[in-house]
Amino acid sequence: MEEKLWRMIEPALATDGYEIADLEFASGQRGGTLRLYLDHPDRPITLEDCEQVSRNLGTLLDVEDPIDRSYSLEVSSPGINRPLRQPKHWKRFVGQPCKVKTSIPLDDQRNFKGTLASFDDEDQCISLETDRGLVRIRLDQIRKAGLDLNLEDIIAKQPKK
């Protein structure tokens, strides 16, 4: 269902310059929750962005009716440690620290932490510089991944006024 929703929502967001950072549908006893993590390649996401997208998507979802039960829609920013899911996400954040959890062990390890060294579009894999050296991981081996930024480091890099 998430892939179907992604394919339906992504073009609607693209017309206003937004991207999907992540999307998930969680079922519950009283229906479900559709969570959309919104991003913009050129600027941070604001509360106003979330409100606007929520209104626009609410209308689209009411018309298309892709979910066969009651649900609520939540729209938010992905936060500083945003998920990395699509090739364009990996390309955009080369050089940034990230964490990766694989679906299968690679050299007896599933959890990796390091700097995203590169993304290979042809092979659909990333190279991660870890304390154990360079690790190549195919996108289809990744269970979960996201940036691993430290708020204190971000603040320290801001220009002094």
Side-chain angles (χ1 to χ4, degrees):
M1 179 188 315
E2 290 176 3
E3 290 302 319
K4 175 183 167 185
L5 288 166
W6 195 298
R7 286 191 306 271
M8 182 180 72
I9 293 171
E10 189 170 43
L13 293 178
T15 60
D16 293 325
Y18 296 111
E19 297 177 351
I20 298 173
D22 203 1
L23 177 147
E24 62 188 31
F25 185 81
S27 292
Q29 289 180 333
R30 297 183 183 165
T33 304
L34 174 57
R35 289 185 186 95
L36 175 71
Y37 299 95
L38 187 64
D39 199 12
H40 194 286
D42 301 324
R43 61 179 176 76
I45 293 297
T46 66
L47 180 59
E48 290 79 21
D49 292 322
C50 295
E51 291 170 346
Q52 175 191 341
V53 168
S54 181
R55 281 191 302 275
N56 294 347
L57 277 185
T59 302
L60 173 68
L61 293 168
D62 286 345
V63 170
E64 296 293 328
D65 199 24
I67 301 171
D68 63 358
R69 60 178 81 77
S70 65
Y71 66 95
S72 60
L73 172 64
E74 295 178 2
V75 178
S76 69
S77 78
I80 64 168
N81 290 324
R82 58 155 298 145
L84 301 171
R85 298 237 347 223
Q86 296 188 318
K88 65 183 172 183
H89 300 158
W90 292 105
K91 290 176 195 174
R92 181 170 156 201
F93 292 103
V94 167
Q96 297 296 315
C98 63
K99 289 182 181 178
V100 176
K101 182 174 187 158
T102 60
S103 53
I104 58 168
L106 302 173
D107 292 330
D108 296 324
Q109 187 176 346
R110 284 183 190 252
N111 296 303
F112 299 87
K113 183 175 178 176
T115 301
L116 179 60
S118 66
F119 174 75
D120 185 330
D121 212 3
E122 188 175 319
D123 292 337
Q124 293 290 288
C125 70
I126 64 166
S127 293
L128 191 64
E129 185 62 52
T130 71
D131 57 356
R132 298 170 79 183
L134 196 64
V135 177
R136 286 180 52 91
I137 306 170
R138 292 192 329 263
L139 292 189
D140 63 2
Q141 296 172 317
I142 297 174
R143 171 184 237 154
K144 186 175 183 177
L147 292 181
D148 187 32
L149 299 172
N150 179 320
L151 189 56
E152 293 167 357
D153 292 340
I154 293 171
I155 292 170
K157 291 179 184 176
Q158 295 298 311
K160 304 231 190 288
K161 293 183 181 183

